[in-house]
Amino acid sequence: RTMNLLRAPRRWSSLLGWARTATKQAGGSSRNGRDSRPKFLGTKLFGGQAALAGNIIVRQRGTKIHPGQRVGMGKDHTLFALSDGYVQFSYDSLKRRKYANVFPTRESR
């Protein structure tokens, strides 16, 4: 028994002299028990798909894609169709921006 006490990890304490320290973490604590709910972000309607007025086109954080013709933007940067039509994505190389547009026919540009 005295041999086990000598092998136990010890730390110098100013009040007690040498004191034993714990070799195992106390039971009942968990460090990984947290998680957030999924946000379901991303593109909901792709290029060429039909959109009705009010349909969500893209759910995003920030303006990764900007609203174009006949597309509105909500306060959480969600892009939605303002009128019926077909979704088309475009890129402006001068401004380096992607745009989501809704056109009444598939061939419109």
Side-chain angles (χ1 to χ4, degrees):
R1 184 175 160 102
T2 48
M3 292 302 277
N4 288 340
L5 289 175
L6 294 175
R7 284 193 212 143
R10 297 188 296 169
R11 176 179 288 163
W12 177 255
S13 170
S14 59
L15 296 175
L16 303 174
W18 286 101
R20 292 186 64 197
T21 57
T23 56
K24 303 247 182 189
Q25 186 174 7
S29 68
S30 173
R31 286 189 264 178
N32 296 329
R34 304 168 297 286
D35 199 5
S36 61
R37 295 183 61 219
K39 303 301 181 211
F40 303 107
L41 302 176
T43 305
K44 306 302 178 187
L45 291 176
F46 294 90
Q49 286 188 297
L52 300 175
N55 279 9
I56 292 175
I57 300 170
V58 179
R59 286 186 50 99
Q60 59 187 351
R61 293 288 172 259
T63 51
K64 186 177 176 102
I65 301 173
H66 293 263
Q69 296 180 27
R70 297 179 194 87
V71 174
M73 184 167 65
K75 66 179 184 177
D76 63 348
H77 301 108
T78 296
L79 301 183
F80 57 92
L82 293 174
S83 64
D84 297 351
Y86 295 93
V87 176
Q88 183 194 11
F89 292 95
S90 60
Y91 181 73
D92 184 354
S93 57
L94 293 176
K95 291 185 178 180
R96 294 183 174 172
R97 284 185 176 181
K98 294 178 188 175
Y99 291 96
N101 306 292
V102 173
F103 293 111
T105 61
R106 285 183 196 250
E107 292 81 32
S108 298
R109 294 229 173 228

